[in-house]
Amino acid sequence: MEQFYFNQFQDQVDEVLIRHKSILDILSKLQESSAKVNRAVAKSVTHCGCIQIHSQKQGIPEDISYSELKNYMSNHVEGYLCDICREKIEEEISTTIFYITALCNSFNINIDDMLANYASQVKALGKYGLL
């Protein structure tokens, strides 16, 4: 597989997005694609059954530091996506990324620069940046 570059993808999105060029179309398509990600995950549980979701209150001891917290957190997902469900979820996430990229194009935001800036913030602030 060849190297992927967001700048090239951003240019491709700009070239192919013709019909839904309005910011209102982009926002509504982004919301729709996000809902389809949620639906694909739900169907993996309820229709296919390749994964299960067992959610409950996170069991966090009171006497641990914030840096130890990760060791006690669960994503509540049990099992592994089958190939069919993985392909569907990847497809829906890809569509969401497409519309996020279109949104960036609408506001002249370079996606590479944006992600690099965010990565710098994450690196600088570490786990404390998401409090």
Side-chain angles (χ1 to χ4, degrees), residues 108-119:
N108 284 334
I109 295 172
N110 180 286
I111 199 163
D112 267 337
D113 293 343
M114 178 187 69
L115 292 173
N117 288 339
Y118 190 73

Side-chain angles (χ1 to χ4, degrees), residues 31-48 51 85 88-89 92:
Q31 186 175 17
E32 178 185 9
S33 65
S34 179
K36 286 183 176 183
V37 171
N38 294 344
R39 181 68 182 137
V41 171
K43 286 187 82 166
S44 295
V45 175
T46 61
H47 180 71
C48 177
I51 61 171
C85 292
K88 183 63 177 171
I89 290 172
E92 300 302 351

Side-chain angles (χ1 to χ4, degrees), residues 63-87:
D63 59 343
I64 63 167
S65 67
Y66 186 73
S67 59
E68 295 173 300
L69 188 59
K70 183 178 179 178
N71 300 329
Y72 295 93
M73 303 301 285
S74 169
N75 68 5
H76 299 133
V77 177
E78 293 184 11
Y80 300 95
L81 291 172
C82 69
D83 291 342
I84 294 169
C85 292
R86 176 176 297 283
E87 184 177 320

Side-chain angles (χ1 to χ4, degrees), residues 4-20:
F4 177 82
Y5 297 99
F6 262 112
N7 277 336
Q8 289 175 344
F9 181 68
Q10 191 165 10
D11 291 341
Q12 289 173 338
V13 169
D14 194 45
E15 288 178 25
V16 302
L17 189 66
I18 297 168
R19 194 163 155 237
H20 301 292

